[in-house]
Amino acid sequence: MVARVQLPALGRIYVFCVVAAGAIAIADSAHRLAAHPPVWTWLILAAFTLISGTLTIKVPSIAATISVSEMFVFTAVILFGAAPATLIVALDGLVLSVSSRSRKLYR
């Protein structure tokens, strides 16, 4: 049996605030996207982002990696604005979280 580590009260409040802020950002982006839909090609960038989400590139000279999907997110911001890019990165994060072997809610 694995022992569960509990966050202190301030840690739980912090996590709640981060989740609430993210939910508000996603809801606002979905509302903006519904009110002023961009051309359908943003869905192609969303698909490329989701497909390339697990591919990473090591950054030379430091212990870091960057996901290939970030390139598609930045492209979505430049071409279509913040609302579609926010939804794309939220979907990418959801897919990576669900497919992750480690199911920790926090690190």
Side-chain angles (χ1 to χ4, degrees), residues 13 27 65 67 72 79 93 96 105:
I13 292 170
T65 59
S67 175
F72 296 113
L79 294 178
L96 288 176
L105 294 178

Side-chain angles (χ1 to χ4, degrees), residues 6-22:
Q6 287 286 348
L7 277 175
L10 285 176
R12 286 189 300 246
I13 292 170
Y14 174 76
V15 170
F16 174 79
C17 290
V18 169
V19 169

Side-chain angles (χ1 to χ4, degrees), residues 20-89:
I24 291 169
I26 291 169
D28 180 58
S29 295
H31 173 71
R32 290 175 191 263
L33 201 63
H36 305 288
V39 293
W40 62 271
T41 53
W42 77 275
L43 295 172
I44 295 172
L45 280 177
F48 284 156
T49 302
L50 296 177
I51 291 168
S52 67
T54 58
L55 302 173
T56 59
I57 299 171
K58 185 176 179 339
V59 179
S61 74
I62 59 173
T65 59
I66 186 167
S67 175
V68 174
S69 66
E70 296 302 318
M71 175 187 61
F72 296 113
V73 172
F74 293 137
T75 303
V77 170
I78 292 168
L79 294 178
F80 303 111
T86 300
L87 293 181
I88 289 172
V89 80

